[in-house]
Amino acid sequence: RHFYSLKSAVDEVKIFGELSTALRKEVSSFLVKEAMGSDSFFVMMPQVLWPRLLPMLRPMRFEKDEVVCMQGEECTEMYVVLAGTLRGENHVRGEPKDTPRHRHVMNGGTVNVLCCLKVWSYCVETVTATVPVESYAVTAKDFVSLFTSETDLASFRHMQIRECQNFKMDTSDTRSEFGRPVYFSCFSTVELTLVQARGLLYEDGVAAAAGRQPSVRNLNTGGGGAGGG
């Protein structure tokens, strides 16, 4: 999995470099918004940086059941999903080991996003490909090098703050200005089997007849937003 293709996200790097400024902006806008999705992490970047970002991206393919990264290991790069689905699994200290938090990372979603933002340099989750996955990888060193002006650095700061809001942060950990990411906020702590769901639906019917609140409404699923890490 560590094999990097020598070509960049734009196959014809030389041609891309010879395009006019206007055409570069148009091509980079199409690739960022269309190929990665309008909710992509990169959409938060200043658009003037997109043409410089694209040559830094490297195509990465993961086969089904291949491990992308392990929780707790040091990381130096971020992945952006283009096609397929990755499954993130996170074990939180003090919670039952047989009920890990998990999420699914799909088109436009990210893995190790806090690494590229220089917030935390360790994997927050163990990530595995559930199907063959096509993605782009970018190193934290390359990504940070894009932000040089005061305006760029202000945007970078905004991206740090915004992405940290997607995580449960332990602010008592002083190794980072923002604290330690414990888990992604959309991780679910409850999984229902079909049999359990049917049982709850039956109980809700009985509860409704008796004038009580349905049991499903009282379930705590641990957050609901979607996104990348």
Side-chain angles (χ1 to χ4, degrees), residues 99-113:
T99 56
R101 297 170 183 266
H102 74 276
R103 68 178 178 122
H104 289 92
V105 187
M106 294 174 283
N107 185 32
T110 59
V111 173
N112 294 338
V113 64

Side-chain angles (χ1 to χ4, degrees), residues 76-108:
T76 58
E77 59 192 3
M78 174 181 72
Y79 304 99
V80 182
V81 175
L82 298 178
T85 303
L86 298 173
R87 186 179 192 275
E89 186 172 286
N90 173 279
H91 290 268
V92 179
R93 184 180 303 173
E95 294 187 353
K97 292 184 178 180
D98 58 346
T99 56
R101 297 170 183 266
H102 74 276
R103 68 178 178 122
H104 289 92
V105 187
M106 294 174 283
N107 185 32

